[in-house]
Amino acid sequence: MNTDFDVVILTDSRYLNDSKTDDYKHNVYYEDRLVYHALEQVGLKTLRLAWDDMFFDWSTTKAVLFRTTWDYFDRFPEFSEWLERISKQTILLNSEAIIRWNIDKHYLLDLQNKGIHIAESHFIEQGAKVNLAQLHDILDWHETVLKPCVSGAARHTYKLNLDNLAAHETQFQNLIANEAMMLQPFQYNIVSKGEISMMVFNGVFTHAILKKAKAGDFRVQDDFGGSIEDYTPSEEEINFAELAVKACPELPIYARVDIFEDNDGNIALSELELIEPELWFRHHKEAALSLAKGVKQKLS
């Protein structure tokens, strides 16, 4: 089948254009341009569009590459329908199957079953008849973090302790009536030492970033004032990240493996991001070419 493009890079409409006044938007645009030029460099005809573009014929591209579709979790029903429809017209990178697997944090249990050490977690299914006090009593956890199983950008993520459970109970009941949630012991080393993001393309580690929360917060995302810096991981950390990616149902083109030192001093997986993770190409421009070469190999 003849196509006009080899790869369309997917963003959301907020980030289609560069900004001279908003550093956040500029970084998104700049990093997507690095990927664009890397794809062109390996001979792939490329275009960048919002994923919900109503006028583009998605059958005219060999593949679409999810990059900065950062509104998908706020529009999940619409995104899910779009994902199913577009997967019949072109190749998705990463694939629809692995995206749907990765969207729901129950995937952590699959990785745990394959020997990947994850953050200690308790899953609370939608409609469960339980309250926060009961959960903390049963689990014997005193300080925890509550988050949805389908989420992004720390949506509905709360730090709990035995003194504030009652204040969060109504919110918890409202959430659990509509979606599955997960509860984890609070990880003190994430606050004191930070969380490491390991970038892995086609199963091979390229670079890492250390994320730290701002003083008084526990969320490392820059949306909440967190900071980032370059990080040189140990061989043990690199091996952990690559093994985590290889434990996926299929090998993803790109992955971000978020790891930390857990309360027992062990390397643990916090998240495995396979949908639209920030990959910090601006800190390691060569990684964009590693991604592009993997995409070309996939399409050959």
Side-chain angles (χ1 to χ4, degrees):
M1 181 179 69
N2 293 326
T3 53
D4 297 328
F5 298 97
D6 295 306
V7 185
V8 171
I9 299 169
L10 299 177
T11 185
D12 80 45
S13 57
R14 295 171 296 176
Y15 307 118
L16 275 173
N17 300 311
D18 198 0
S19 173
K20 295 181 179 179
T21 58
D22 187 324
D23 289 342
Y24 187 87
K25 286 186 177 181
H26 170 72
N27 286 338
V28 172
Y29 182 84
Y30 175 63
E31 294 205 357
D32 279 1
R33 294 304 295 180
L34 289 175
V35 175
Y36 179 97
H37 289 301
L39 291 166
E40 293 272 329
Q41 186 177 336
V42 299
L44 298 177
K45 189 174 181 183
T46 306
L47 182 68
R48 181 173 180 264
L49 292 174
W51 66 269
D52 59 350
D53 190 298
M54 295 183 294
F55 303 103
F56 185 71
D57 180 354
W58 298 98
S59 67
T60 61
T61 181
K62 291 180 183 177
V64 297
L65 179 67
F66 290 83
R67 278 304 313 121
T68 48
T69 56
W70 291 346
D71 59 346
Y72 87 88
F73 43 81
D74 294 322
R75 305 165 58 188
F76 185 70
E78 178 185 357
F79 176 79
S80 181
E81 185 278 330
W82 178 89
L83 195 64
E84 181 177 5
R85 176 165 47 87
I86 300 306
S87 67
K88 296 179 174 64
Q89 301 179 45
T90 188
I91 297 171
L92 274 55
L93 303 172
N94 289 313
S95 73
E96 180 190 12
I98 205 167
I99 285 174
R100 292 196 183 278
W101 175 76
N102 187 235
I103 279 173
D104 190 319
K105 290 184 175 63
H106 284 86
Y107 75 81
L108 290 167
L109 296 176
D110 294 337
L111 295 178
Q112 184 180 51
N113 290 335
K114 291 187 176 182
I116 305 301
H117 182 55
I118 68 169
E120 192 174 4
S121 305
H122 179 78
F123 289 83
I124 311 138
E125 302 307 329
Q126 180 182 348
K129 303 301 181 185
V130 68
N131 62 47
L132 291 173
Q134 291 169 336
L135 285 168
H136 285 73
D137 180 55
I138 292 167
L139 297 167
D140 197 25
W141 293 346
H142 300 153
E143 228 178 342
T144 60
V145 173
L146 178 72
K147 64 180 75 169
C149 288
V150 177
S151 185
R155 180 183 74 88
H156 285 308
T157 298
Y158 304 105
K159 183 181 177 184
L160 306 177
N161 59 63
L162 298 184
D163 294 327
N164 70 6
L165 297 184
H168 287 87
E169 185 60 37
T170 299
Q171 177 74 299
F172 171 69
Q173 293 300 329
N174 289 337
L175 288 168
I176 206 66
N178 295 291
E179 58 185 313
M181 304 289 291
M182 63 189 297
L183 189 70
Q184 297 174 316
F186 185 74
Q187 299 293 337
Y188 298 96
N189 287 325
I190 289 183
V191 174
S192 61
K193 298 181 179 180
E195 182 181 71
I196 304 162
S197 285
M198 312 273 287
M199 271 51 74
V200 179
F201 299 116
N202 309 294
V204 179
F205 166 78
T206 59
H207 64 293
I209 292 292
L210 176 64
K211 301 178 290 186
K212 290 185 175 180
K214 72 176 183 180
D217 206 329
F218 68 98
R219 297 164 297 189
V220 297
Q221 292 90 344
D222 53 8
D223 311 54
F224 301 100
S227 63
I228 63 167
E229 58 188 72
D230 291 333
Y231 179 79
T232 301
S234 66
E235 284 299 317
E236 184 183 12
E237 290 167 337
I238 292 172
N239 290 337
F240 183 99
E242 291 183 347
L243 285 172
V245 171
K246 290 170 184 174
C248 293
E250 63 187 64
L251 187 67
I253 288 284
Y254 59 83
R256 194 185 83 206
V257 186
D258 291 341
I259 65 173
F260 66 99
E261 182 182 316
D262 70 13
N263 293 334
D264 295 320
N266 299 313
I267 298 174
L269 178 69
S270 172
E271 301 272 4
L272 183 63
E273 300 280 2
L274 306 177
I275 304 171
E276 34 59 77
E278 185 168 11
L279 297 171
W280 290 286
F281 290 113
R282 63 188 181 275
H283 286 256
H284 194 85
K285 297 177 184 177
E286 298 85 353
L289 189 58
S290 297
L291 173 61
K293 289 177 179 178
V295 171
K296 184 172 184 178
Q297 182 179 2
K298 181 77 172 180
L299 299 182
S300 298

